[in-house]
Amino acid sequence: MSVSRPLALRLLAGGFAAALALTALVSVQSRTPASAAVTLPPTHAKFDYQIGGAYTPPAGIQVVTRDRTAAPAAGLYNICYVNAFQVQPGEQGQWDSDLLLRDAQGNVVIDEDWGEALLDIRTTAKQTRVAAKVNGWIDGCAAKGYKAIEPDNYDSYSRSKNLITTGQAKAYLKLLAAHAHSMNLAIAQKNTVELAGSRTSVGLDFAVAEECGQYDECGDYVDAFGNNVIVIEYTNSGRTKACSQFGSTLTIVQRDVDVKTPGQSGYVRKTC
């Protein structure tokens, strides 16, 4: 809502109270309807990270993250994990070939740690096409009853052989954030602490930070997101550091790196 100069003058002439009332109205209407409808996860909550497979949450859990293919946990705040910047192993055939990032030799660029192809978000047109597919997954999360989205691999530009820029990553994620908000879903920044200062312009609501204790980055996330930070550590030392510094304010859990389910060899879940 904008106010023309003649109208503003008439309001001033009509009294200071009227001007104050208009200011309040402008302030309210400048907020998007989505921002008012989004519910953030509780802070300093008991949390479980279940992206490797859904299972009955331990007693007292308030927040859980599960893969988009899983149903949310009844009665809890559920975050829907979406691999938004890379392709799940075995799913390359589900994407248009030109949306897979390729190097100068025409080879698909792969995140070698996880065997995942990177998505090509280097142009506005491709950002729109990739976002259309991922936004369909976000719609599915909303339909299932999730309250928030965790779009993974925001930092894939750092594995792109310098083909993707941070600006392109932010522009694409901004499309996902706008769509998530239109579905009344909160959206997280996953890792990528170096871009935390852009959270407002991109439209991000909270952070999910892996190993910020291990690498002394939790404070940087707090600077950008306040206490709306979920910390996932994969080592005892990382958990100890995170808990010693932020155990009374942030949501912190230690999981095994493969995020296994209880009963599987190597399953780990520890808290402060």
Side-chain angles (χ1 to χ4, degrees), residues 54-230:
Y55 53 87
T56 302
I61 293 296
Q62 301 164 273
V63 181
V64 65
T65 295
R66 289 180 171 176
D67 186 77
R68 64 179 176 85
T69 59
L76 305 182
Y77 185 101
N78 286 268
I79 302 169
C80 192
Y81 171 93
V82 174
N83 195 350
F85 287 78
Q86 300 181 178
V87 180
Q88 292 288 94
E91 294 186 0
Q92 286 191 31
Q94 299 178 22
W95 287 89
D96 290 342
S97 178
D98 69 316
L99 294 182
L100 303 178
L101 184 68
R102 298 177 186 273
D103 61 21
Q105 288 71 45
N107 298 315
V108 175
V109 179
I110 301 292
D111 175 353
E112 299 295 344
D113 287 341
W114 298 101
E116 297 178 353
L118 273 64
L119 292 167
D120 190 347
I121 53 169
R122 290 177 294 176
T123 67
T124 299
K126 288 188 175 183
Q127 290 165 15
T128 300
R129 289 170 60 201
V130 174
K133 187 176 183 73
V134 175
N135 284 341
W137 299 341
I138 291 175
D139 292 345
C141 295
K144 289 180 178 180
Y146 283 91
K147 295 296 185 184
I149 301 296
E150 178 192 321
D152 201 9
N153 291 309
Y154 188 19
D155 61 350
S156 65
Y157 64 83
S158 66
R159 299 180 290 278
S160 72
K161 299 183 178 180
N162 295 318
L163 295 173
I164 297 173
T165 68
T166 58
Q168 291 161 353
K170 289 189 287 186
Y172 164 63
L173 187 54
K174 187 173 182 178
L175 297 178
L176 302 186
H179 187 77
H181 288 158
S182 76
M183 301 300 294
N184 297 333
L185 297 171
I187 185 167
Q189 173 171 319
K190 177 70 174 292
N191 299 327
T192 325
V193 68
E194 60 272 18
L195 299 186
S198 299
R199 61 148 305 189
T200 300
S201 61
V202 176
L204 304 172
D205 302 304
F206 65 103
V208 176
E210 292 177 301
E211 299 193 287
C212 68
Q214 185 73 27
Y215 295 105
D216 296 316
E217 295 173 341
C218 296
D220 295 325
Y221 286 104
V222 170
D223 287 344
F225 291 90
N227 291 342
N228 293 308
V229 179
I230 295 173

Side-chain angles (χ1 to χ4, degrees), residues 209-218 231-247 250-255 270-272:
E210 292 177 301
E211 299 193 287
C212 68
Q214 185 73 27
Y215 295 105
D216 296 316
E217 295 173 341
C218 296
V231 178
I232 303 151
E233 298 292 335
Y234 297 109
T235 64
N236 288 324
S237 61
R239 173 178 51 84
T240 299
K241 287 171 66 176
C243 289
S244 66
Q245 298 176 29
F246 299 98
L250 303 186
T251 296
I252 301 172
V253 71
Q254 180 184 343
R255 288 298 327 268
K270 301 178 182 178
T271 58
C272 295

